């Protein structure tokens, strides 16, 4: 009779994958991930049949934690600027507080190992945020551009802001808000 899988081991493998992949990239050997998780490599493959499956599940797990952070305390019904500001601050703080997860997300976002179906599933949770960006675009100077373009501007400015915060942690709130103002002005928000 097969032993039941332990959720604690699965979580340990994903946590170890974050650390190892942040350090070595998506080409990191599964043996190093297993060792960091404190399990045998065969045990890793009990939880994730292939390395690609591990990478896809890791992508979804990191996206899920990011989404939960961004939606915590979300001010439904607040003016558009305040809703966008909330999302901005949550994303920037998440990135500054989780540099390894952020780095892994950046790597997985461009990895061919992450399947289109996984990307679509990861994006599902962000529908409300995508709609928020689309609403911002529709009232601003970028109304002739796609919401994806505004989202790319947001991601770029947020990543620059996170990098700056990591270099100047004593001024985190000052630069987080300055980054938001730059983004809001860039999209022509009112």
């Amino acid at each position: 009779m097969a032993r039941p899988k332990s959720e604690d081991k699965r979580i340990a493998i994903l946590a170890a994958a974050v650390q190892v992949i942040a350090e070595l990239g998506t080409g990191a050997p599964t043996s190093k991930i297993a060792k960091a998780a404190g399990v045998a490599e065969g045990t890793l493959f009990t939880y994730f049949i292939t390395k690609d499956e591990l990478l896809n599940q890791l992508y979804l797990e990191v996206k899920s934690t990011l989404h939960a952070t961004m939606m915590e305390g979300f001010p439904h019904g607040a003016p558009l600027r305040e809703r966008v500001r909330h999302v901005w601050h949550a994303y920037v703080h998440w990135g500054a507080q989780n540099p390894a997860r952020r780095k892994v997300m950046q790597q997985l976002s461009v990895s061919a190992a992450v399947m289109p179906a996984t990307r679509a599933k990861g994006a599902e949770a962000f529908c409300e945020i995508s709609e928020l960006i689309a609403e911002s675009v529709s009232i601003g100077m970028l109304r002739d551009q796609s919401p994806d373009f505004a989202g790319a501007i947001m991601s770029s400015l947020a990543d620059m802001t996170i990098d700056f915060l990591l270099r100047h942690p004593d001024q985190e709130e000052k630069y987080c808000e300055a980054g938001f103002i730059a983004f809001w002005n860039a999209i022509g928000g009112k």
Side-chain angles (χ1 to χ4, degrees):
M1 179 181 226
R3 293 174 60 186
K5 292 180 183 177
S6 160
E7 185 61 16
D8 289 342
K9 281 186 184 175
R10 182 181 181 283
I11 291 168
I13 293 167
L14 289 171
V18 166
Q19 297 309 314
V20 173
I21 291 170
E23 180 183 337
L24 302 176
T26 58
T30 53
S31 60
K32 287 197 184 268
I33 295 169
K35 183 176 180 181
V39 301
E41 190 171 10
T43 300
L44 182 146
F45 289 113
T46 299
Y47 289 83
F48 307 97
I49 302 301
T50 64
K51 183 177 178 185
D52 283 355
E53 182 184 341
L54 170 62
L55 295 176
N56 279 263
Q57 290 302 308
L58 182 60
Y59 177 85
L60 291 174
E61 190 274 335
V62 173
K63 285 285 233 184
S64 176
T65 60
L66 172 58
H67 177 261
T69 298
M70 292 173 81
M71 296 310 293
E72 185 177 327
F74 185 77
H76 297 278
L80 178 61
R81 185 177 197 276
E82 289 311 305
R83 289 179 285 148
V84 174
R85 183 179 182 276
H86 173 87
V87 167
W88 172 273
H89 277 263
Y91 177 76
V92 168
H93 288 297
W94 177 87
Q97 294 165 1
N98 298 282
R101 284 180 176 276
R102 177 175 164 245
K103 188 172 183 179
V104 166
M105 180 53 62
Q106 290 170 331
Q107 292 174 14
L108 292 174
S109 292
V110 296
S111 172
V114 178
M115 303 302 296
T118 302
R119 291 181 194 285
K121 187 174 181 180
E124 286 173 7
F126 290 85
C127 286
E128 188 170 359
I129 294 168
S130 296
E131 290 169 7
L132 189 62
I133 292 172
E135 184 181 349
S136 300
V137 168
S138 72
I139 65 164
M141 294 184 323
L142 294 179
R143 64 181 155 265
D144 295 331
Q145 302 298 326
S146 73
D148 288 342
F149 182 70
I153 291 171
M154 181 178 183
S155 293
S156 295
L157 285 173
D159 285 339
M160 180 272 309
T161 301
I162 293 166
D163 290 341
F164 205 79
L165 265 54
L166 292 172
R167 289 192 306 270
H168 304 281
D170 57 319
Q171 298 180 50
E172 186 170 328
E173 281 307 312
K174 174 184 172 185
Y175 291 119
C176 186
E177 184 62 16
F180 168 72
I181 291 168
F183 169 66
W184 189 251
N185 290 337
I187 65 169
K190 299 173 183 176

